[in-house]
Amino acid sequence: MRTFAIVNFGCQMNEYESEKFREVFYDFGLVEVSSIEEADIVLFNSCAVREKSEQKLISSVGYARSLYEKYGRPYVIVAGCVASIKERKIKEVARDSLFMLSKGYELIYERVNELRSELSKYLNANNSLNKVGVHRVFAYVPVIFGCNSFCAYCIVPATKGREKSRPINEVLDEVKSLVDQGVKEIVLLGQNINHYGYDLGKQEGFIELLEEVGRIPNLKRLRYLTPHPAYFTKELVKRMRRINTLMPHFHLPVQSGSNKILSLMKRGYTKEHYLEIIETIKKEFPEASITTDIIVGFPNESEEDFLETINLVKTVQFDKSFIAAYSKRPNTPAATMEGQIDPKTKKERLNYLLKIQNEISLEKNKAYIGGTYEVLVENVKGNKAFGRIPQDKLVIFESSFEVHPGDLANVLITDADFIHLRGKA
Ligand code: SAH
Ligand code: SF4
């Protein structure tokens, strides 16, 4: 084994975990390649939130196995949520190519150690080789694993287990070490991040954590994902305003604009509560961008319920919405509810809402034209650079002087579509 590839299907938590796996491969002197075809060992980090991503995993494993049968490589590792719920199927598809199934919802770090010990049966660790990865501008840091919320549609509590917060000192040490390595932006992660600390007996754990991380010297930008509206309070927003490094972007998944559907989803809040928080955000952070997640076609969603979601989207004027058609997940209460919506209606609702959201996104982005914003440069290709403004919008810009990843550049926004901003430094 000389080369490895990592294919990531899932969320930011998976990206963090993949980064940890990557470090282990580096430790064993393996070189990263970008395609399965070139790899001696491939790690698929899977996602089970929707059926489609699960199917994608299974067909990728099948493809890797067909390569293995022809060329004797790559060996396959499957990590992530699908590994926990589809062990039999994966084994059936991967057959002899399977090197390791990294399953269970033990903490990421235990599974990373498991990979280390599996690899050490075949290879010698060589800590001095290849140790330095690409310079990273931003990094994810998980603060709470698992979820206690049991939303009726969601498989996450079954694959990731109960909430477990990391001790605050562990988080602070990890952030400090990343900042020392030159990381400029930290994104704290948790399925239900504003529940941070509850299991450690702290009621204000989340805001205290933000305050502490926000004070770390040389950290330029702080973000977090994903807060739950049920535990999001006006008081929280007000305290956030005082954290200078905290970026003005709120990702607050609403899921539906109908109280009937929110209740069937077991989300634990009403549309009114959600709108009240949004109002506070708009008052305290007038410059902020606001994004959300929405599910259409949840069981029993009538035309009227759907209209309420449309109205909410129009009222809030989200910068962006991640909209998904409801997907049945095994062993979740919603999967066996009466009143399932037919696929055609789900698709129609999805497309309709996407169209509305895209129009709003375009208007929102156009409002940035003419303004100058600080961009954290992530990537430079030829005379084009890419990066994000504090509101987390992606900017593609040209610069009359040299810029490098990690620089903060002031960029005049000259154009926008519904996804990007464009400008000149
Ligand atoms: N913990 C976060 C996000 C979890 S999963 C939260 O509570 O919002 C990310 C998104 O996937 C969810 O916000 C939801 O919009 C979507 N999702 C989860 N389960 C789904 C399902 N069964 N069908 C369709 N979308 C789903
Ligand atoms: Fe899933 Fe709900 Fe937990 Fe989010 S809060 S991970 S949607 S159960």
Side-chain angles (χ1 to χ4, degrees), residues 53-97:
S53 55
E54 198 179 299
Q55 286 164 350
K56 250 196 316 200
L57 181 265
I58 299 292
S59 64
S60 303
V61 170
Y63 174 64
R65 188 213 61 222
S66 71
L67 292 175
Y68 177 85
E69 283 173 351
K70 254 195 240 159
Y71 308 110
R73 71 185 186 121
Y75 288 100
V76 171
I77 299 173
V78 181
C81 290
V82 184
S84 302
I85 58 165
K86 282 283 150 83
E87 176 171 2
R88 230 184 49 215
K89 178 85 188 165
I90 292 166
K91 284 182 170 160
E92 205 178 283
V93 174
R95 289 183 229 155
D96 291 347
S97 70

Coordinates of all heavy atoms in Angstrom, one line a residue, residues 53-97:
S53 N -28.1 9.4 -0.3 CA -26.6 9.4 0.0 C -26.2 8.0 0.4 O -25.1 7.6 0.2 CB -26.3 10.4 1.1 OG -27.1 10.2 2.2
E54 N -27.1 7.2 1.0 CA -26.9 5.8 1.4 C -26.7 5.0 0.1 O -25.7 4.2 0.0 CB -28.0 5.3 2.2 CG -27.7 4.1 3.0 CD -29.0 3.7 3.8 OE1 -29.5 4.5 4.6 OE2 -29.5 2.6 3.5
Q55 N -27.5 5.2 -0.9 CA -27.4 4.5 -2.2 C -26.1 4.8 -2.9 O -25.5 3.9 -3.5 CB -28.6 4.8 -3.1 CG -29.9 4.1 -2.6 CD -31.1 4.7 -3.3 OE1 -31.0 5.8 -4.0 NE2 -32.3 4.1 -3.1
K56 N -25.7 6.1 -2.8 CA -24.5 6.5 -3.4 C -23.3 5.8 -2.8 O -22.4 5.3 -3.5 CB -24.3 8.0 -3.3 CG -24.4 8.7 -4.6 CD -23.9 10.1 -4.7 CE -24.2 11.1 -3.6 NZ -24.1 12.5 -3.8
L57 N -23.3 5.6 -1.5 CA -22.3 4.9 -0.8 C -22.2 3.4 -1.3 O -21.1 3.0 -1.7 CB -22.5 4.9 0.7 CG -21.6 4.3 1.7 CD1 -22.0 2.9 2.1 CD2 -20.1 4.4 1.3
I58 N -23.3 2.8 -1.3 CA -23.4 1.4 -1.7 C -22.8 1.2 -3.2 O -22.0 0.3 -3.5 CB -24.8 0.8 -1.6 CG1 -25.3 0.8 -0.1 CG2 -24.8 -0.7 -2.1 CD1 -24.5 0.0 0.9
S59 N -23.3 2.1 -4.1 CA -22.8 1.9 -5.5 C -21.3 2.3 -5.6 O -20.6 1.6 -6.4 CB -23.7 2.7 -6.5 OG -23.6 4.0 -6.2
S60 N -20.8 3.2 -4.8 CA -19.4 3.5 -4.8 C -18.6 2.3 -4.3 O -17.5 2.0 -4.9 CB -19.0 4.7 -4.0 OG -19.8 5.8 -4.4
V61 N -19.1 1.7 -3.3 CA -18.4 0.5 -2.7 C -18.4 -0.6 -3.8 O -17.3 -1.3 -4.0 CB -19.0 0.0 -1.4 CG1 -18.5 -1.4 -1.0 CG2 -18.8 1.0 -0.3
G62 N -19.5 -0.8 -4.5 CA -19.6 -1.8 -5.6 C -18.6 -1.5 -6.7 O -17.9 -2.4 -7.2
Y63 N -18.4 -0.2 -7.0 CA -17.5 0.2 -8.1 C -16.0 -0.1 -7.6 O -15.2 -0.7 -8.4 CB -17.6 1.7 -8.4 CG -16.6 2.2 -9.3 CD1 -16.5 1.6 -10.6 CD2 -15.6 3.1 -8.9 CE1 -15.5 2.1 -11.5 CE2 -14.7 3.6 -9.8 CZ -14.6 3.0 -11.1 OH -13.6 3.5 -12.0
A64 N -15.7 0.2 -6.4 CA -14.4 0.0 -5.8 C -14.1 -1.6 -5.8 O -13.0 -2.0 -6.2 CB -14.2 0.5 -4.4
R65 N -15.1 -2.3 -5.5 CA -14.9 -3.8 -5.5 C -14.6 -4.3 -6.9 O -13.8 -5.2 -7.1 CB -16.1 -4.5 -4.9 CG -15.8 -6.0 -4.7 CD -17.0 -6.9 -4.9 NE -17.6 -6.8 -6.2 CZ -18.9 -6.7 -6.5 NH1 -19.8 -6.7 -5.5 NH2 -19.3 -6.6 -7.7
S66 N -15.3 -3.7 -7.9 CA -15.1 -4.2 -9.3 C -13.6 -3.9 -9.7 O -13.0 -4.7 -10.4 CB -16.1 -3.6 -10.2 OG -15.8 -2.2 -10.4
L67 N -13.1 -2.7 -9.2 CA -11.7 -2.4 -9.5 C -10.8 -3.4 -8.8 O -9.8 -3.9 -9.4 CB -11.4 -1.0 -9.0 CG -12.0 0.2 -9.7 CD1 -11.6 1.5 -9.0 CD2 -11.5 0.3 -11.2
Y68 N -11.1 -3.7 -7.6 CA -10.4 -4.7 -6.8 C -10.3 -6.0 -7.4 O -9.2 -6.7 -7.5 CB -11.0 -4.8 -5.4 CG -10.3 -5.8 -4.5 CD1 -9.2 -5.4 -3.7 CD2 -10.8 -7.1 -4.4 CE1 -8.5 -6.3 -2.9 CE2 -10.1 -8.0 -3.6 CZ -9.0 -7.6 -2.8 OH -8.4 -8.5 -2.0
E69 N -11.4 -6.4 -8.0 CA -11.4 -7.8 -8.6 C -10.5 -7.8 -9.9 O -9.9 -8.8 -10.2 CB -12.9 -8.2 -9.0 CG -13.6 -8.6 -7.7 CD -15.1 -8.9 -7.9 OE1 -15.6 -8.6 -9.0 OE2 -15.7 -9.4 -7.0
K70 N -10.5 -6.7 -10.6 CA -9.6 -6.6 -11.8 C -8.2 -6.4 -11.5 O -7.3 -7.0 -12.1 CB -10.1 -5.4 -12.6 CG -10.9 -5.9 -13.9 CD -11.0 -4.7 -14.9 CE -12.5 -4.4 -15.1 NZ -12.8 -3.1 -15.6
Y71 N -7.9 -5.4 -10.5 CA -6.5 -5.0 -10.3 C -5.9 -5.4 -9.0 O -4.7 -5.1 -8.7 CB -6.4 -3.5 -10.5 CG -7.0 -3.0 -11.8 CD1 -8.2 -2.2 -11.8 CD2 -6.4 -3.3 -13.0 CE1 -8.7 -1.8 -13.0 CE2 -7.0 -2.8 -14.2 CZ -8.2 -2.1 -14.2 OH -8.7 -1.6 -15.3
G72 N -6.7 -6.0 -8.1 CA -6.2 -6.3 -6.8 C -6.1 -5.1 -5.8 O -5.5 -5.2 -4.8
R73 N -6.7 -4.0 -6.2 CA -6.8 -2.8 -5.4 C -7.9 -1.9 -5.9 O -8.3 -2.1 -7.1 CB -5.4 -2.0 -5.4 CG -5.2 -1.4 -6.8 CD -3.8 -0.8 -6.9 NE -3.8 -0.1 -8.2 CZ -3.6 1.2 -8.3 NH1 -3.4 2.0 -7.3 NH2 -3.7 1.8 -9.5
P74 N -8.5 -1.0 -5.2 CA -8.1 -0.6 -3.8 C -8.8 -1.5 -2.8 O -9.8 -2.1 -3.0 CB -8.7 0.8 -3.8 CG -9.9 0.7 -4.6 CD -9.6 -0.3 -5.7
Y75 N -8.2 -1.5 -1.6 CA -8.9 -2.0 -0.4 C -9.9 -0.9 0.0 O -9.6 0.2 -0.2 CB -7.9 -2.3 0.7 CG -7.1 -3.5 0.4 CD1 -5.8 -3.4 0.0 CD2 -7.6 -4.8 0.7 CE1 -5.0 -4.5 -0.3 CE2 -6.8 -5.9 0.4 CZ -5.5 -5.8 -0.1 OH -4.8 -6.9 -0.3
V76 N -11.0 -1.4 0.7 CA -12.0 -0.5 1.0 C -12.2 -0.3 2.5 O -12.2 -1.3 3.2 CB -13.4 -0.9 0.3 CG1 -14.5 -0.1 0.8 CG2 -13.3 -0.9 -1.2
I77 N -12.4 0.9 2.9 CA -12.8 1.2 4.3 C -14.1 1.9 4.3 O -14.2 2.9 3.5 CB -11.7 2.0 5.1 CG1 -10.4 1.3 5.1 CG2 -12.2 2.4 6.5 CD1 -9.3 2.2 5.7
V78 N -15.1 1.5 5.1 CA -16.3 2.3 5.1 C -16.4 2.9 6.5 O -16.4 2.1 7.5 CB -17.5 1.5 4.7 CG1 -18.8 2.4 4.8 CG2 -17.4 0.9 3.3
A79 N -16.5 4.2 6.6 CA -16.8 4.8 7.9 C -18.1 5.6 7.8 O -18.7 5.6 6.8 CB -15.6 5.8 8.2
G80 N -18.4 6.3 8.9 CA -19.6 7.1 8.9 C -20.9 6.4 9.2 O -20.9 5.2 9.5
C81 N -22.0 7.1 9.1 CA -23.3 6.6 9.7 C -23.8 5.3 9.0 O -24.4 4.5 9.6 CB -24.4 7.7 9.6 SG -24.0 8.9 10.9
V82 N -23.5 5.2 7.6 CA -24.1 4.0 6.9 C -23.4 2.7 7.4 O -24.0 1.6 7.5 CB -23.9 4.1 5.4 CG1 -24.6 2.9 4.7 CG2 -24.6 5.4 4.9
A83 N -22.1 2.8 7.8 CA -21.4 1.7 8.3 C -22.1 1.1 9.6 O -22.0 -0.1 9.8 CB -19.9 2.1 8.7
S84 N -22.7 2.0 10.3 CA -23.4 1.5 11.6 C -24.7 0.8 11.3 O -25.1 -0.1 12.0 CB -23.7 2.7 12.5 OG -22.5 3.4 12.8
I85 N -25.4 1.2 10.2 CA -26.8 0.7 10.0 C -26.9 -0.3 8.9 O -27.8 -1.0 8.7 CB -27.8 1.8 9.8 CG1 -27.5 2.7 8.7 CG2 -28.0 2.6 11.1 CD1 -28.6 3.5 8.2
K86 N -25.8 -0.4 8.0 CA -25.9 -1.3 6.9 C -24.7 -2.2 6.8 O -24.2 -2.5 5.7 CB -26.0 -0.4 5.6 CG -27.3 0.2 5.3 CD -28.3 -0.8 4.7 CE -29.7 -0.6 5.1 NZ -30.4 0.3 4.2
E87 N -24.3 -2.8 7.9 CA -23.1 -3.6 8.0 C -23.2 -4.8 7.0 O -22.3 -5.0 6.2 CB -22.9 -4.1 9.4 CG -21.7 -5.1 9.5 CD -21.4 -5.4 11.0 OE1 -22.1 -4.9 11.9 OE2 -20.4 -6.1 11.2
R88 N -24.4 -5.5 7.0 CA -24.5 -6.7 6.2 C -24.4 -6.4 4.7 O -23.7 -7.0 4.0 CB -25.8 -7.4 6.6 CG -25.6 -8.8 6.8 CD -26.9 -9.6 7.1 NE -27.9 -9.4 6.1 CZ -29.2 -9.4 6.4 NH1 -29.6 -9.6 7.6 NH2 -30.1 -9.2 5.5
K89 N -25.1 -5.3 4.4 CA -25.2 -4.9 2.9 C -23.8 -4.5 2.4 O -23.4 -4.9 1.4 CB -26.2 -3.8 2.8 CG -26.3 -3.2 1.4 CD -27.3 -4.0 0.6 CE -27.3 -3.6 -0.9 NZ -28.0 -4.6 -1.7
I90 N -23.1 -3.8 3.3 CA -21.7 -3.4 2.9 C -20.8 -4.6 2.7 O -20.1 -4.7 1.7 CB -21.1 -2.4 3.9 CG1 -21.9 -1.0 3.9 CG2 -19.7 -2.1 3.6 CD1 -21.7 -0.1 5.0
K91 N -20.9 -5.5 3.6 CA -20.0 -6.7 3.5 C -20.4 -7.5 2.3 O -19.5 -8.0 1.6 CB -20.2 -7.5 4.8 CG -19.5 -7.0 6.0 CD -19.6 -7.9 7.2 CE -18.6 -7.4 8.3 NZ -19.0 -7.9 9.6
E92 N -21.7 -7.6 2.0 CA -22.1 -8.3 0.8 C -21.6 -7.7 -0.5 O -21.2 -8.4 -1.4 CB -23.7 -8.2 0.9 CG -24.4 -9.3 0.2 CD -25.9 -8.9 0.4 OE1 -26.4 -9.1 1.6 OE2 -26.6 -8.4 -0.5
V93 N -21.6 -6.4 -0.5 CA -21.2 -5.7 -1.7 C -19.6 -5.6 -1.8 O -19.1 -5.8 -2.9 CB -21.8 -4.2 -1.8 CG1 -21.2 -3.5 -3.0 CG2 -23.3 -4.3 -1.9
A94 N -19.0 -5.4 -0.7 CA -17.5 -5.2 -0.8 C -16.7 -6.5 -0.9 O -15.6 -6.5 -1.4 CB -17.0 -4.4 0.5
R95 N -17.3 -7.5 -0.3 CA -16.7 -8.9 -0.3 C -15.2 -8.8 0.1 O -14.9 -8.1 1.1 CB -16.8 -9.5 -1.7 CG -18.2 -10.0 -1.9 CD -18.4 -10.7 -3.2 NE -19.5 -10.2 -4.0 CZ -19.6 -10.2 -5.3 NH1 -18.6 -10.8 -6.0 NH2 -20.6 -9.7 -5.9
D96 N -14.3 -9.4 -0.7 CA -12.9 -9.4 -0.2 C -12.2 -8.1 -0.2 O -11.1 -8.0 0.4 CB -12.1 -10.4 -1.2 CG -12.5 -11.8 -1.0 OD1 -13.2 -12.1 0.0 OD2 -12.2 -12.6 -1.9
S97 N -12.7 -7.1 -0.9 CA -12.1 -5.8 -0.9 C -12.1 -5.1 0.4 O -11.4 -4.1 0.7 CB -12.6 -4.9 -2.0 OG -13.9 -4.5 -1.7

